[in-house]
Amino acid sequence: MINRRTMIRGGSAAAVAGAGALAFTAGVAQGTPASDGSQSPNSAGADATPAAKVPAFLPLPASVKPLPDNGKGYRIQRAGKNAYVVIVGFVQSVFVVTRSGVVLVDAPPASRGKLKEAIASVTDKPVTHFIYSHSHLDHVGAVNDFPDAVRIAHADCATILALHKDPARPMPQKVLHGKYSTLHIGGEEIHIIYPGANHEAGNVLTYFPKQRLAVMTDVVMPGWAPYRGWGNADYLPGILSAHDAILELDFDTYVGGHVYRTGTRADVKQSRAFFVDFWNTTKKNMGSIPFSDAAAQVEPENAWAAQKVWIDRVAKATQSELVERWGTEIAAVDTFTADTAGSVVVSISTDATINFP
């Protein structure tokens, strides 16, 4: 039986050394005789087409798998007295019903139609305000489905939106500045906190204290290892600052914009611990894997090739260690960790202070 722990103990290093390093073939194993003594269709005979190999990944723990939806392709979860999370596949939005209307945080294109239906199933009040978590299309590209809502964004987000000039991501009518802003909408107090550039410049933490609800997109993926490079993050040290900003709040529910469920304080703490371990392990391997050995493998003048060989070695070593420590604790440590480690190498070399973290 293959499970997360046996895969880690029985060959995790091979599994993470590179895409396809360890693979299983769907169906009958190649070369296995069929019951009548003939070769099976998947046999690698002269006239047979070898079955495609799929890289082996650690099985997902039950705690991160999709929860049942309502049969219409989405799930609504209560997150406070009058706050709700809408989960469609792998994306999430939040809305809060106030005395004067609905405040919505994010509108992913993948939720188009379903998000409006979900809100209408709870209230007949209109969406009066829309808060941009940040500028990325996969989270805000359906904002035009709510044309009468006042769009709100941090100034750094607004700057990026202006550069995009994308009709699907219109400019905000209300722009917030600085690290802390407080909105009062329909009797609801809303805190907009900006800890500085993180996943993206202008990516804010939205806090509804009455609902005990914290929302910050693309920083913490509850129960999961991060996406590749923390989603091509603008500033990796800012990811840690964002975790700390979340943990300063008093909340019951955390919404991260992705994955199949919401999170708790324990999820945020676990994600922070993984970040610190990731960073420190990468830094350690940068110091222990000689760059000179990598450079000796390529043409002396080809600086890019030397960097490629060295970074790949650091990344593979880092992923192997993190899979051993975290592979049974959180999902998908064996997928993007090597890619992300490459980003961490660059960030350690260019972004971080000597004593970080």
Side-chain angles (χ1 to χ4, degrees):
M1 178 179 177
I2 297 171
N3 58 39
R4 294 173 66 80
R5 194 169 296 278
T6 57
M7 282 190 68
I8 290 169
R9 289 179 176 174
S12 62
V16 304
L22 178 64
F24 297 103
T25 303
V28 183
Q30 290 188 4
T32 302
S35 59
D36 60 0
S38 63
Q39 290 293 105
S40 70
N42 288 332
S43 298
D47 298 323
T49 301
K53 291 185 176 181
V54 179
F57 297 109
L58 292 174
L60 293 177
S63 61
V64 305
K65 290 185 177 181
L67 298 171
D69 64 23
N70 61 356
K72 298 180 179 180
Y74 64 91
R75 184 166 62 87
I76 301 180
Q77 175 184 322
R78 200 117 187 202
K81 183 179 179 180
N82 50 300
Y84 302 84
V85 185
V86 181
I87 301 175
V88 179
F90 211 65
V91 297
Q92 304 170 342
S93 302
V94 166
F95 70 93
V96 176
V97 182
T98 76
R99 290 199 301 262
S100 58
V102 174
V103 177
L104 175 63
V105 182
D106 283 356
S111 299
R112 182 166 276 121
K114 296 181 177 65
L115 182 55
K116 293 182 74 172
E117 181 180 325
I119 295 171
S121 72
V122 171
T123 180
D124 57 3
K125 293 179 179 179
V127 175
T128 57
H129 295 80
F130 178 86
I131 299 174
Y132 275 105
S133 64
H134 63 309
S135 78
H136 283 173
L137 184 67
D138 61 320
H139 291 283
V140 300
V143 60
N144 284 328
D145 288 0
F146 307 93
D148 297 325
V150 175
R151 297 181 297 274
I152 303 167
H154 190 272
D156 287 0
C157 175
T159 297
I160 297 173
L161 292 171
L163 292 172
H164 287 320
K165 297 181 180 178
D166 182 0
R169 291 172 282 178
M171 291 295 292
Q173 293 104 331
K174 183 176 181 61
V175 176
L176 307 176
H177 298 267
K179 292 188 174 183
Y180 300 96
S181 299
T182 302
L183 307 174
H184 296 274
I185 300 173
E188 195 73 34
E189 183 175 292
I190 307 168
H191 298 182
I192 308 296
I193 301 161
Y194 181 46
N198 51 87
H199 165 69
E200 189 189 44
N203 188 38
V204 295
L205 165 58
T206 303
Y207 178 50
F208 300 88
K210 286 171 61 175
Q211 312 300 324
R212 299 181 59 80
L213 170 63
V215 185
M216 192 169 198
T217 302
D218 287 339
V219 170
V220 177
M221 305 294 168
W224 288 72
Y227 185 66
R228 190 173 192 166
W230 274 278
N232 195 29
D234 283 6
Y235 184 61
L236 283 179
I239 298 291
L240 185 61
S241 299
H243 279 80
D244 290 340
I246 297 166
L247 290 170
E248 288 177 2
L249 304 176
D250 187 15
F251 65 93
D252 294 325
T253 305
Y254 167 82
V255 178
H258 281 297
V259 308
Y260 303 116
R261 66 170 175 86
T262 59
T264 63
R265 177 172 293 275
D267 288 311
V268 180
K269 287 182 176 180
Q270 182 185 62
S271 177
R272 187 190 189 281
F274 183 76
F275 178 95
V276 172
D277 192 11
F278 199 138
W279 191 277
N280 288 335
T281 301
T282 305
K283 185 187 291 186
K284 179 205 69 170
N285 288 329
M286 288 171 68
S288 62
I289 297 175
F291 180 79
S292 58
D293 288 357
Q297 304 301 310
V298 300
E299 184 179 0
E301 294 81 7
N302 194 338
W304 275 191
Q307 287 283 325
K308 167 68 174 172
V309 172
W310 180 67
I311 290 174
D312 283 353
R313 290 179 181 177
V314 171
K316 289 175 182 178
T318 297
Q319 176 159 298
S320 182
E321 290 187 49
L322 292 177
V323 167
E324 286 291 334
R325 288 196 289 273
W326 293 91
T328 60
E329 303 299 319
I330 55 179
V333 185
D334 58 332
T335 54
F336 291 124
T337 298
D339 300 301
T340 302
S343 300
V344 174
V345 169
V346 175
S347 186
I348 288 172
S349 303
T350 60
D351 292 329
T353 61
I354 293 174
N355 295 324
F356 184 84

